[in-house]
């Protein structure tokens, strides 16, 4: 299905019962698309309605470059198209930044948040201290500068999927192939244009009053781990869960602990 938002035609889908316990909105990371949520949809769609979409520059979404577009308003457009008044927003990485901003801009549309390795605009990210990790990141940046997209994709699979301190190829098979397909397409996508200006999120985290589950993999980058821990402290009603043996994309891996923690959090929310 598709819905319009400004100069974009956003691709989205809905899975779940006609009378769900809760509605969920799933916001993907900046190196994947909506297909990365399939393991979570498979685990929740028997009782919860799961709405997921491709952001501009990803998957099946089409768009013209547009100055002043808003990822938050794109999310609202998808909620409206799916007939969802208020959702539990489950988000990873880049999607987490959008989820936080959605909760601030439209608090009536957000019942609760699940944030996995979340980005946060204005967060105090520390420098990466591990030399091997810093080298991997520098090599990926150099490949991007050279527009060697195949090399960028290979290195980003190493960084984001395996984890920079884990063995190269820790995650293999169909999960790795799909990552390379999703990210390879995103790396070559047309720039959607400059976003609308917005205030930093970090100083306003105390204004978010809904329950939040913050999750981060122990194999994720050290700066993302640090921000996740600080994020859980800064939010009013948050719980931090450390995920062993996974990096930045445990939802895409179908990590059992990740799926179980999300299901327990969502199932435990009040109905109505």
């Amino acid at each position: 299905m598709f819905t319009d938002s400004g100069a974009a035609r956003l691709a989205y889908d809905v899975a779940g019962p006609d009378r769900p316990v809760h509605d969920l909105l799933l916001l993907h990371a900046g190196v994947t698309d909506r297909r990365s949520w399939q393991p979570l949809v498979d685990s929740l769609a028997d009782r919860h309605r799961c709405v997921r979409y491709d952001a501009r520059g990803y998957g099946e979404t089409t768009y013209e470059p547009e100055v002043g577009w808003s990822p938050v308003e794109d999310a609202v457009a998808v909620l409206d198209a799916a007939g969802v008044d208020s959702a539990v927003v489950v988000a990873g990485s880049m999607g987490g930044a959008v989820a936080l901003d959605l909760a601030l801009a439209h608090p009536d549309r957000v019942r609760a948040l699940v944030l996995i390795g979340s980005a946060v605009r204005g967060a105090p990210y520390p420098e990466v201290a591990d030399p091997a990790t810093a080298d991997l990141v520098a090599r990926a940046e150099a490949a991007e500068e050279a527009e060697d997209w195949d090399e960028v994709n290979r290195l980003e699979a190493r960084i984001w999927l395996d984890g920079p301190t884990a063995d190269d190829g820790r995650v293999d098979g169909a999960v790795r192939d799909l990552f390379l397909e999703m990210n390879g397409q995103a790396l070559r996508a047309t720039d959607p244009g400059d976003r609308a200006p917005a205030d930093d999120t970090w100083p306003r985290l105390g204004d978010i009053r809904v329950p939040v589950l913050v999750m981060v993999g122990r194999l994720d980058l050290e700066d993302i781990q640090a921000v996740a821990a600080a994020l859980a402290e800064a939010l009013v009603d948050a719980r931090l869960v450390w995920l062993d043996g996974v990096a930045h994309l445990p939802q895409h891996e179908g990590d059992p602990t990740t799926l179980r923690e999300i299901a327990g959090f969502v199932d435990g929310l009040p109905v109505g």
Side-chain angles (χ1 to χ4, degrees):
M1 294 180 284
F2 294 87
T3 191
D4 294 332
S5 179
R9 190 157 177 78
L10 303 169
Y12 75 99
D13 57 58
V14 181
D18 292 336
R19 294 185 177 181
V21 179
H22 294 297
D23 288 312
L24 276 64
L25 178 67
L26 312 179
L27 307 182
H28 64 77
V31 288
T32 64
D33 60 38
R34 77 185 195 271
R35 291 174 289 176
S36 61
W37 291 112
Q38 192 60 51
L40 185 64
V41 172
D42 289 343
S43 72
L44 295 180
D46 63 326
R47 57 199 184 280
H48 304 296
R49 181 165 49 183
C50 300
V51 180
R52 52 182 171 165
Y53 70 96
D54 293 327
R56 301 187 195 206
Y58 299 86
E60 297 179 302
T61 285
T62 59
Y63 54 93
E64 296 295 330
E66 179 179 13
V67 175
W69 70 278
S70 165
V72 168
E73 296 312 311
D74 283 356
V76 170
V78 172
L79 288 173
D80 289 345
V84 174
D85 293 329
S86 181
V88 180
V89 183
V90 184
S93 191
M94 171 191 80
V98 178
L100 288 164
D101 289 343
L102 176 63
L104 288 165
H106 300 279
D108 58 315
R109 307 303 297 266
V110 178
R111 289 282 310 279
L113 294 168
V114 178
L115 305 173
I116 308 167
S118 184
V120 188
R121 293 185 308 101
Y125 284 91
E127 292 293 326
V128 174
D130 176 63
T133 299
D135 178 66
L136 271 174
V137 172
R139 286 161 56 196
E141 290 173 347
E144 184 173 3
E145 181 70 22
E147 298 185 359
D148 185 349
W149 304 123
D150 288 339
E151 179 66 359
V152 175
N153 203 11
R154 186 187 72 81
L155 289 168
E156 289 192 340
R158 176 82 176 82
I159 294 167
W160 301 116
L161 187 60
D162 296 330
T165 61
D167 291 339
D168 190 359
R170 179 187 67 81
V171 181
D172 59 8
V175 173
R176 194 177 200 85
D177 291 345
L178 181 55
F179 172 90
L180 293 170
E181 179 183 333
M182 294 185 291
N183 193 43
Q185 178 182 346
L187 287 169
R188 294 169 173 84
T190 301
D191 188 336
D194 293 336
R195 298 183 184 191
D199 294 334
D200 282 346
T201 308
W202 190 264
R204 299 182 289 146
L205 291 174
D207 295 336
I208 296 174
R209 299 291 172 170
V210 296
V212 185
L213 176 63
V214 179
M215 311 175 78
V216 66
R218 292 194 185 275
L219 299 180
D220 208 339
L221 277 76
E222 59 195 81
D223 58 335
I224 292 173
Q225 293 186 37
V227 165
L231 174 62
E233 289 289 333
L235 289 163
V236 173
D237 183 8
R239 179 169 65 91
L240 175 64
V241 173
W242 291 93
L243 300 168
D244 293 328
V246 294
H248 199 57
L249 302 168
Q251 67 277 18
H252 176 50
E253 287 189 55
D255 172 58
T257 301
T258 302
L259 300 181
R260 184 171 61 252
E261 289 284 350
I262 295 173
F265 177 77
V266 175
D267 290 340
L269 293 169
V271 177

